[in-house]
Amino acid sequence: MASHRLLPLAVAVMFNTACSLSPPAAPLTLEPPALASTSALLEQGQHFGLDNNPLTPDDHILAMTPDMRYFVGEQVPAALSEQARLRYLVDALIRPSQLGLEYAPGVTLTATETFDERRGDCLSLSALFVAMAREAKLNVYFNEVSVPPSWEMLSDNSSAIYKHINAVAVIDGKPQVIDFSVDIYDYRYPQKQVDDDIAAAQYYSNLGVKQLNDGDPATAYAYFRRALHLGPEEAYIWGNLGVLLRREGLLDEAEVAFRKALSLDPEEAAALSNLARLYRSEGRRDEARALEAVIAERQRSNPFWHYSRSRAAFERGDFDEALTSIHRAIRLNREEYRFYQFAAVIYRRQGNDKKYEEYGLRAAQAKFASQQHTP
């Protein structure tokens, strides 16, 4: 893939090398579900009091309103070069005296809603940018970034994984990454162009997770079904659907959903963890142990897993365990500045000023080094 340059006016840069993000995975042998069983998962509307129309809802995530078109016309003179139009647009979106967009994790909105509310998550901000950039006659597309897994516990027995997405503008044949999510993006993460349907699938999946958290399983199902209609090969959405089905007591169907997710992506961490929990809850101990062994091996070699354990220990007040875990993360990945940064936080909490200053300096050095290598 071509080198991606982050537009200076946009936002921030950070993160890791592809090799450190992808430790050797423990082998996973799991029979994929039958096609008929998988298809049946999208025909469970009756259970939720819904019909089986996969085309609803349709929120038109890139729709432009007259106010949005007027904004682009006023802020981005059509006579400018493509590069200048791009800079004018990004500046207008982020400047507090103009639109003043704010990154708001967990707030998934359409482009129109984002324009009105002036905030949103990575997908919302990217959707607004893509819609407006196309109005300004720029060549732009959505860009999916494989950030390290972020586990969010929906309950004691299930978890979900969120994806990161930004946008790319192609100016004179050169891609420029536009990312409004501070401290999320780094050019060294694996990334790929995705079409509008896949971005929309992520939008519906995000809303499905929100409705699941809010206790509205029917709406969550409608969103997940719509997401899978648009992105049937997106493993994480099948995994999220599995969480919903498990919550509803549809255990056989939940198993099919998790196995479908893993057949598409054997390293889909949330689906693997949720399937192991499902087997354990059903007393299928041998199957649960086999998956748990795979999970344990992957966790031991994943620096971000140790980082998450360190943060959890810190929140419990177990600072010795927090230090042990963060140093394991550092040994596995010596380039991630946030690991040193968090070690400094722990040392400061312990009153160790010397170590606090040492790791604060190392964090600054690692961050500077990563930025110097931006193409």
Side-chain angles (χ1 to χ4, degrees):
M1 162 174 202
S3 296
H4 282 49
R5 182 163 67 86
L6 186 70
L7 188 70
L9 278 174
V11 249
V13 203
M14 303 122 250
F15 284 18
N16 272 79
T17 61
C19 59
S20 65
L21 290 176
S22 303
L28 178 65
T29 55
L30 203 62
E31 187 73 21
L35 178 60
S37 298
T38 303
S39 298
L41 299 183
L42 304 181
E43 299 172 356
Q44 300 295 318
Q46 184 175 0
H47 175 86
F48 296 94
L50 304 170
D51 60 28
N52 284 321
N53 182 3
L55 300 179
T56 56
D58 187 355
D59 293 349
H60 304 288
I61 72 166
L62 294 176
M64 291 282 289
T65 64
D67 284 346
M68 294 165 70
R69 291 192 174 92
Y70 179 79
F71 180 89
V72 173
E74 284 290 298
Q75 302 298 330
V76 188
L80 295 176
S81 69
E82 286 188 338
Q83 184 65 59
R85 295 204 302 277
L86 178 60
R87 290 180 177 275
Y88 269 63
L89 176 58
V90 172
D91 188 56
L93 291 175
I94 65 176
R95 189 181 294 277
S97 61
Q98 292 172 287
L99 201 61
L101 291 179
E102 294 182 3
Y103 174 57
V107 179
T108 300
L109 305 169
T110 65
T112 299
E113 292 166 337
T114 305
F115 179 79
D116 290 340
E117 298 197 17
R118 304 190 177 195
R119 66 186 187 119
D121 60 12
C122 63
L123 175 59
S124 307
L125 300 178
S126 297
L128 176 60
F129 169 77
V130 166
M132 288 192 156
R134 289 175 180 170
E135 179 70 16
K137 303 298 188 292
L138 295 171
N139 179 13
V140 296
Y141 60 80
F142 287 102
N143 187 51
E144 185 177 283
V145 185
S146 297
V147 299
S150 174
W151 289 270
E152 170 152 335
M153 298 308 295
L154 301 178
S155 71
D156 289 340
N157 295 314
S158 59
S159 60
I161 283 184
Y162 291 87
K163 296 274 189 174
H164 181 61
I165 200 166
N166 55 33
V168 169
V170 181
I171 307 296
D172 297 326
K174 298 179 181 179
Q176 301 183 40
V177 174
I178 312 299
D179 194 298
F180 298 91
S181 312
V182 176
D183 285 358
I184 298 291
Y185 175 74
D186 187 281
Y187 77 94
R188 292 167 295 178
Y189 280 123
Q191 52 200 284
K192 64 180 180 181
Q193 177 178 349
V194 294
D195 63 28
D196 293 355
D197 278 353
I198 298 302
Q202 185 181 127
Y203 164 86
Y204 291 114
S205 180
N206 285 0
L207 290 185
V209 171
K210 181 180 186 303
Q211 295 301 322
L212 185 57
N213 279 325
D214 290 347
D216 186 349
T219 304
Y221 179 75
Y223 279 129
F224 288 144
R225 184 177 58 188
R226 176 65 168 158
L228 288 167
H229 173 75
L230 294 167
E233 302 299 307
E234 297 299 297
Y236 74 100
I237 304 176
W238 288 105
N240 288 343
L241 175 62
V243 172
L244 169 61
L245 296 171
R246 186 181 188 280
R247 291 267 195 96
E248 289 296 293
L250 301 173
L251 302 187
D252 291 343
E253 290 82 357
E255 179 184 354
V256 170
F258 294 140
R259 286 169 53 205
K260 175 63 175 178
L262 292 166
S263 72
L264 292 168
D265 181 1
E267 299 196 38
E268 180 60 36
L272 184 62
S273 178
N274 287 327
L275 182 57
R277 291 190 184 102
L278 176 62
Y279 286 158
R280 180 66 66 179
S281 70
E282 292 185 318
R284 298 161 66 176
R285 290 188 294 273
D286 290 344
E287 292 167 288
R289 289 192 193 105
L291 296 187
E292 288 161 358
V294 174
I295 293 168
E297 182 177 339
R298 291 182 181 180
Q299 289 171 349
R300 282 193 296 269
S301 60
N302 187 332
F304 289 90
W305 172 258
H306 294 290
Y307 175 56
S308 67
R309 285 177 60 85
S310 178
R311 294 183 68 88
F314 183 85
E315 291 173 5
R316 293 195 307 271
D318 189 344
F319 304 122
D320 290 339
E321 177 59 30
L323 276 177
T324 298
S325 293
I326 200 62
H327 281 293
R328 285 174 180 158
I330 290 170
R331 283 196 296 273
L332 288 165
N333 181 350
R334 299 185 182 278
E335 298 179 5
E336 176 52 64
Y337 82 94
R338 291 179 303 167
F339 296 168
Y340 299 107
Q341 196 174 65
F342 193 61
V345 169
I346 301 169
Y347 281 123
R348 185 176 190 181
R349 182 65 178 80
Q350 289 184 320
N352 191 332
D353 292 338
K354 183 177 179 180
K355 286 290 186 181
Y356 164 67
E357 292 176 3
E358 175 189 343
Y359 277 83
L361 177 60
R362 293 175 72 177
Q365 291 171 336
K367 185 174 183 180
F368 178 76
S370 72
Q371 293 173 332
Q372 292 307 296
H373 286 88
T374 303

